[in-house]
Amino acid sequence: MPINNRIADFHDEITEWRRTIHQHPGLLYDVEETSALVAEKLKEFGVDEIVEGIGRTGVVGVIKGRKNDSGRVIGMRADMDALPIVEKNDLPHKSKYEGKMHACGHDGHTAMLLGAAKYLAETRNFDGTAVVIFQPAEEGGAGGKAMCDDDMMSRFGIQEVYGLHNMPGLPVGEFAIRPGPLMAGTDEFTVTINGLGAHAAMPHNGNDPIIVATQMVQALQSIVSRNIDPLGSAVLTVTAIHAGKAYNVIPQEAQFYGTVRTLDKAVRDKVIERLQEIVTGIASAYGVEVNIDIKEGYPVTSNHEAQTQFAAEVAREISGDAKVDTNKPPVMGGEDFSYMLLERPGAFIFMGNGDTAGLHHEEYDFNDEAIPVGSSYWAKIAERSMPAS
Ligand code: NI
């Protein structure tokens, strides 16, 4: 049975929730409207326990199966936050808040998990406990970590945890996953160079921080090409350079910043170590003061072997063997479900969003055709991992 029939019946209703969430986006932890909607729906479905305010604005719902002989507890997670983007779509459900937009499909993720919660609360055809997790602040605010820090895993006795993200370009009804690293660990760095300002025509009286910054930016490009194993994976991108504001003045200070993406802790440590060596070495060669600020971001999202096999099996039951890619190459984007995978075994899967604009694009919209696929996936994760008979 591919799509769950009962869930197919809910398609219009879930679509309506998705569009309501889309119209009322919130950034990072400011997702009060969405978490209120989630809590209200869970209450309406008659789930056994609803706890709000986990990880500040996160919501957790507990659904007990018809039986609880197995003692199994499975966590399923959706994210609720939007992005600071002005929506360019001309749709009836366009964002009502200028400058905020569900451009990553978290509206769809939330609605699909709600759909599964409705079905699971109605049928309870499993032996154990399903925990639905709705987290804030996936987009850079580490809301997943905040929920874990609030002791979510032990408080609800969660034994395994699963996550899902839509993927534009992958046809609707298809899934992609891999065991091990699936998404990158992210770090941010800021380098501030304190030189000596001077008249542009008398450079010998100063110490030009722009020359130093450009040397550093060039030299940093040697890390990935010369210090990292060619079969390892790393990205180091400088995304901004700021210095000066006149044609005839050498500024006092220059600053640049960027991001490091890696799939392995040892590679990550090596990149950071070389970044520090190169920057301080060049600073000392040019006689300037330098400050390096490294902000450790999301860890690598690394899927556990057994749970990945299980998630792929569930996906195949829904979509058929040919539509589940179990050798998806890792992507260098980050994902804070990684924090949950550090606490419990589990798996993160990509689900096709069809031929839509890309994630974080001003014309992106979650594809409502994918709703029955995602909700069926969640329902089956619960039912198959905790079979009633
Ligand atoms: Ni996302």
Side-chain angles (χ1 to χ4, degrees), residues 79 104 106 109 138-139 165:
D79 38 16
C104 201
H106 298 183
H109 302 165
E138 193 288 316
E139 300 287 0
H165 207 292

Side-chain angles (χ1 to χ4, degrees), residues 230-253:
L231 298 181
S233 300
V235 181
L236 185 155
T237 301
V238 174
T239 53
I241 306 183
H242 297 295
K245 45 185 186 296
Y247 286 97
N248 56 357
V249 179
I250 291 171
Q252 178 75 23
E253 195 182 279

Side-chain angles (χ1 to χ4, degrees), residues 35-265:
S35 47
L37 179 142
V38 165
E40 181 199 309
K41 289 294 166 199
L42 292 176
K43 202 165 163 188
E44 207 178 289
F45 307 155
V47 312
D48 300 281
E49 191 186 347
I50 302 160
V51 185
E52 295 178 71
I54 297 195
R56 287 158 65 178
T57 41
V59 184
V60 174
V62 177
I63 308 164
K64 292 185 176 135
R66 209 183 293 287
K67 288 200 293 181
N68 190 14
D69 300 339
S70 76
R72 299 257 289 154
V73 183
I74 300 297
M76 300 181 279
R77 169 275 203 178
D79 38 16
M80 300 188 286
D81 58 321
L83 285 156
I85 295 175
V86 178
E87 180 162 11
K88 285 284 151 62
N89 291 313
D90 188 20
L91 296 162
H93 61 272
K94 182 181 173 174
S95 169
K96 290 192 171 185
Y97 307 142
E98 178 82 6
K100 298 180 192 174
M101 175 191 176
H102 269 292
C104 201
H106 298 183
D107 49 347
H109 302 165
T110 297
M112 290 189 298
L113 187 57
L114 274 179
K118 177 173 165 125
Y119 165 81
L120 291 169
E122 179 182 288
T123 55
R124 301 191 185 250
N125 197 21
F126 55 95
D127 175 2
T129 306
V131 178
V132 286
I133 302 164
F134 298 87
Q135 76 149 80
E138 193 288 316
E139 300 287 0
K145 181 176 191 297
M147 291 189 91
C148 289
D149 288 349
D150 275 353
D151 220 16
M152 174 177 74
M153 295 299 177
S154 46
R155 175 168 177 180
F156 297 97
I158 296 166
Q159 296 160 350
E160 288 176 25
V161 68
Y162 294 86
L164 171 154
H165 207 292
N166 77 94
M167 180 165 270
L170 188 68
V172 170
E174 297 199 11
F175 289 92
I177 193 169
R178 74 175 294 115
L182 180 67
M183 296 186 74
T186 65
D187 291 282
E188 291 171 354
F189 60 88
T190 305
V191 175
T192 310
I193 300 150
N194 194 10
L196 182 60
H199 193 294
M202 298 169 209
H204 57 291
N205 290 336
N207 194 351
D208 188 346
I210 293 180
I211 296 294
V212 182
T214 54
Q215 299 282 335
M216 288 174 180
V217 171
Q218 292 292 336
L220 290 178
Q221 301 313 308
S222 70
I223 299 176
V224 174
S225 70
R226 302 292 91 174
N227 302 130
I228 300 302
D229 182 333
L231 298 181
S233 300
V235 181
L236 185 155
T237 301
V238 174
T239 53
I241 306 183
H242 297 295
K245 45 185 186 296
Y247 286 97
N248 56 357
V249 179
I250 291 171
Q252 178 75 23
E253 195 182 279
Q255 186 178 69
F256 64 90
Y257 54 82
T259 183
V260 171
R261 306 290 172 106
T262 49
L263 293 170
D264 177 272
K265 175 87 167 74

